[in-house]
Amino acid sequence: MVGSPNSSNSNRLREVAQNLGVDAYMVDNATELKTEWLADKTRIGVTAGASAPDVLVQEVITRLKSLGADDVTELSGTAESVVFPLPKGLIQQSQLT
């Protein structure tokens, strides 16, 4: 799981995996991957928190490939169209400018 430890979204994703009995680790970037996490694994899933930049996810995948992952499959997710309105304070400020 690519995400920051101070991200509630990232922590929740890790917790969901752990609650399903899956070993789950959170990394800020590819350099934090530990080879012992990969020992005896035949399948590894990578996901990311909502605010994790795609470049970090791609770097984790590249690192996994360098550690022996030979078949990478990207799964399509659900297209989202959620739009969050600006908080009232920001709406008022944007109307003043």
Side-chain angles (χ1 to χ4, degrees), residues 26-95:
M26 187 179 337
V27 296
D28 266 328
N29 59 63
T31 62
E32 294 181 358
L33 284 173
K34 296 183 180 181
T35 55
E36 58 264 24
W37 295 344
L38 311 176
D40 301 321
K41 301 292 189 273
T42 58
R43 185 171 292 187
I44 298 168
V46 176
T47 189
S51 60
D54 189 57
V55 66
L56 295 180
V57 176
Q58 295 307 316
E59 288 173 359
V60 166
I61 292 170
T62 299
R63 174 89 168 115
L64 288 169
K65 286 180 179 178
S66 76
L67 295 171
D70 57 3
D71 183 21
V72 176
T73 304
E74 184 174 342
L75 303 176
S76 60
T78 302
E80 296 180 353
S81 59
V82 177
V83 178
F84 295 98
L86 288 173
K88 289 181 183 178
L90 291 178
I91 291 173
Q92 291 169 349
Q93 285 179 351
S94 67
Q95 291 173 345

Side-chain angles (χ1 to χ4, degrees), residues 14-25 41 43-45:
R14 183 184 44 77
E15 288 170 7
V16 167
Q18 287 177 329
N19 289 340
L20 292 171
V22 175
D23 291 336
Y25 307 97
K41 301 292 189 273
R43 185 171 292 187
I44 298 168

Side-chain angles (χ1 to χ4, degrees), residues 1-4 7-11 13 47-54 80 84:
M1 134 106 272
V2 182
S4 178
S7 164
S8 59
N9 174 263
S10 296
N11 279 297
L13 286 170
T47 189
S51 60
D54 189 57
E80 296 180 353
F84 295 98

